[in-house]
Amino acid sequence: MGKTAVVYRSEYGSTKRYANYIGEKIQADILSTDEAKDISSYETIIYGGGIYAGAINGSDWLKKNQEAICNKKFILFTCSLSNPHKEENIQAIQNGLKQSLTEELVGHAKVFFFPGALDFKKLKFTHKGLLTVLFQYLKHKKQRSAEEEGMLKCREMPMDFVDTSEAEALISFAKE
Ligand SMILES: Cc1cc2nc3c(=O)[nH]c(=O)nc-3n(C[C@H](O)[C@H](O)[C@H](O)COP(=O)(O)O)c2cc1C
């Protein structure tokens, strides 16, 4: 395995927990997108970002570095509140990746999907506002899926589904 960087963007820390775990396990450099200014010396890039309104966080960094990334081994992981063990949720995240990234990046990436966390009380003002609109919509919906019921519960209590053992398959793939 060549020199590897785990680059992440994390608003509330769940993606960062996976990035730290992966980086330590494979002895890679662990960099936030602000720190990852020059990635030319790496052979492998592992990128992690949370899913926000369907799109991956840090898509600007990925697009800016697309040329360099597409010449390397590229592994992408997402961190989301929707359960990534459900096929329909994976499909939705994949569609979001296609919309927020370029075809080249998505085509070049091996993608992994990890469960995230959310503590409504600790959200930034703008994020609280966005979710409040979503909650209002869900509350008035006649029939809600189990996923949507789960979303509504976020308002009452913090949710934390982060489980670093989920990253083992990614780690094995990175080592190949
Ligand atoms: C404003 C907002 C929008 C979100 N949108 C989605 C979404 O569309 N789908 C989803 O599965 N999770 C969504 N989430 C949950 C985040 O993906 C989850 O909190 C993730 O763990 C955040 O990772 P981070 O703290 O590393 O940034 C959203 C969270 C916030 C605050």
Side-chain angles (χ1 to χ4, degrees), residues 9-17 49-55 57 79-83 93 114-119 123 126-128 130-131 134 147 151 162:
R9 189 174 291 171
S10 183
E11 302 301 317
Y12 303 101
S14 40
T15 308
K16 188 176 179 180
R17 276 152 74 188
I51 298 295
Y52 285 84
N57 197 13
C79 193
S80 64
L81 204 62
S82 59
N83 180 354
I93 296 170
F114 299 154
L118 194 136
D119 187 345
L123 293 182
T126 46
H127 285 165
K128 247 186 204 165
L130 272 170
L131 286 191
L134 175 68
E147 203 68 34
M151 276 302 280
V162 173

Side-chain angles (χ1 to χ4, degrees), residues 15-83:
T15 308
K16 188 176 179 180
R17 276 152 74 188
Y18 287 109
N20 285 339
Y21 180 78
I22 295 163
E24 280 162 23
K25 276 262 172 155
I26 60 174
Q27 292 170 346
D29 290 345
I30 306 163
L31 307 164
S32 70
T33 48
D34 289 340
E35 293 164 334
K37 301 249 185 278
D38 180 7
I39 56 164
S40 58
S41 65
Y42 296 100
E43 279 175 38
T44 301
I45 298 294
I46 300 174
Y47 181 87
I51 298 295
Y52 285 84
I56 187 161
N57 197 13
S59 56
D60 54 336
W61 184 89
L62 286 165
K63 285 191 245 181
K64 195 172 147 204
N65 289 283
Q66 167 166 319
E67 211 182 314
I69 289 170
C70 288
N71 286 318
K72 303 170 192 292
K73 180 170 173 178
F74 176 42
I75 302 171
L76 188 67
F77 72 87
T78 64
C79 193
S80 64
L81 204 62
S82 59
N83 180 354

Side-chain angles (χ1 to χ4, degrees), residues 70-147:
C70 288
N71 286 318
K72 303 170 192 292
K73 180 170 173 178
F74 176 42
I75 302 171
L76 188 67
F77 72 87
T78 64
C79 193
S80 64
L81 204 62
S82 59
N83 180 354
H85 295 293
K86 283 193 182 162
E87 192 47 46
E88 72 221 59
N89 294 339
I90 291 189
Q91 205 58 55
I93 296 170
Q94 267 168 338
N95 289 341
L97 288 178
K98 280 188 195 141
Q99 274 162 26
S100 50
L101 298 176
T102 63
E103 245 176 67
E104 287 85 348
L105 278 167
V106 177
H108 191 58
K110 169 75 178 166
V111 188
F112 293 82
F113 307 90
F114 299 154
L118 194 136
D119 187 345
F120 185 76
K121 289 200 175 83
K122 290 188 182 156
L123 293 182
K124 292 168 194 166
F125 184 73
T126 46
H127 285 165
K128 247 186 204 165
L130 272 170
L131 286 191
T132 302
V133 174
L134 175 68
F135 290 148
Q136 286 304 325
Y137 162 74
L138 290 178
K139 256 168 64 183
H140 292 100
K141 225 179 148 191
K142 286 205 174 76
Q143 288 206 318
R144 289 185 288 269
S145 66
E147 203 68 34

